[in-house]
Amino acid sequence: EMLEMNNRVAELSSELDDCRKQRQQLEHVVDEATQEDSKHSLYFGQILMSVENLFLRCTTKRKNIQHFLEVKEEEGAKGKNGDGQDEGEDSFRRKQTMAIKQLNVILNYLKDFKEITDTLKRERRVNQPQRQEKEIERELTIEFRTDQPRGDRASQNSGSTGNTKELPKSSQASAVIQQMDF
């Protein structure tokens, strides 16, 4: 009977050890899932902050263009008709839809700027022949002058081992390029 009890205790103790190992493994899985969730929340927060920053830069720097009024109108209509329930987890869905609306406003600004740059490119292409004619009228002239030697700027011993040659000070020349308009 004592031997049976010892066997039973050994079985239960090995079962307890197995349960503890399984619990540790499950805790490790939970920790990994929590870390992954935290990482995704961090990325989502960074994306929201970036979208908000771009949205504010578009709407505050460009007050003449008023694409942001579309978002405000939608918010006003939703506020009157919405049931006001919180969707949980920091209202993830509400933040997501707001970011999407802000991205649409940013897209409208980008479309406007693309249209502006395309218009400027077309105008430059049209004006290109006029520019080429003006540049043909310009001519480069090169003039060589000899500088007078300065007493305080004389060559000093550089420590070279005789592989350099000293030029006479009176013949050191410099070149000046001037652009002449005719």
Side-chain angles (χ1 to χ4, degrees):
E1 198 174 297
M2 188 62 120
L3 187 58
E4 284 180 29
M5 291 301 258
N6 283 339
N7 287 340
R8 180 73 176 143
V9 167
E11 287 175 14
L12 289 175
S13 121
S14 69
E15 191 176 318
L16 178 63
D17 288 341
D18 290 342
C19 287
R20 284 183 181 163
K21 284 181 186 177
Q22 186 179 10
R23 187 190 81 206
Q24 286 178 342
Q25 289 173 347
L26 290 173
E27 284 177 352
H28 181 69
V29 168
V30 167
D31 287 342
E32 286 178 353
T34 302
Q35 288 176 353
E36 190 71 20
D37 184 48
S38 297
K39 188 168 59 170
H40 286 290
S41 294
L42 175 67
Y43 290 151
F44 182 67
Q46 289 173 338
I47 291 169
L48 288 177
M49 294 292 286
S50 298
V51 169
E52 179 74 19
N53 183 24
L54 286 172
F55 178 77
L56 289 175
R57 288 181 74 183
C58 287
T59 57
T60 58
K61 303 278 184 185
R62 312 282 184 254
K63 297 191 184 218
N64 297 344
I65 307 171
Q66 299 182 350
H67 292 298
F68 67 94
L69 292 177
E70 300 167 11
V71 173
K72 288 187 177 184
E73 289 174 2
E74 289 178 17
E75 285 178 1
K78 187 175 183 178
K80 293 176 184 176
N81 297 336
D83 53 4
Q85 70 180 14
D86 190 16
E87 296 177 21
E89 292 185 22
D90 277 335
S91 60
F92 172 81
R93 292 194 195 285
R94 185 176 48 83
K95 289 180 181 181
Q96 178 188 15
T97 55
M98 187 61 179
I100 290 170
K101 290 175 185 175
Q102 289 175 342
L103 283 171
N104 285 329
V105 170
I106 293 168
L107 176 67
N108 289 333
Y109 278 94
L110 288 174
K111 285 179 180 177
D112 288 346
F113 287 126
K114 183 176 182 345
E115 193 174 307
I116 290 169
T117 56
D118 288 346
T119 302
L120 288 174
K121 286 178 183 176
R122 280 192 301 271
E123 287 176 2
R124 282 185 186 161
R125 280 189 220 124
V126 168
N127 294 333
Q128 190 68 24
Q130 295 170 356
R131 282 190 193 155
Q132 288 175 351
E133 289 174 11
K134 287 181 182 178
E135 292 199 14
I136 289 173
E137 292 174 2
R138 291 185 186 181
E139 181 179 315
L140 292 178
T141 60
I142 300 175
E143 176 184 321
F144 288 96
R145 316 184 229 171
T146 304
D147 289 337
Q148 297 299 322
R150 297 182 190 167
D152 64 336
R153 301 284 176 143
S155 178
Q156 303 293 325
N157 189 4
S158 65
S160 62
T161 58
N163 60 357
T164 59
K165 182 179 178 183
E166 185 76 26
L167 290 175
K169 294 183 185 200
S170 63
S171 68
Q172 292 178 352
S174 62
V176 177
I177 299 176
Q178 295 178 344
Q179 191 168 14
M180 306 292 281
D181 291 328
F182 291 97

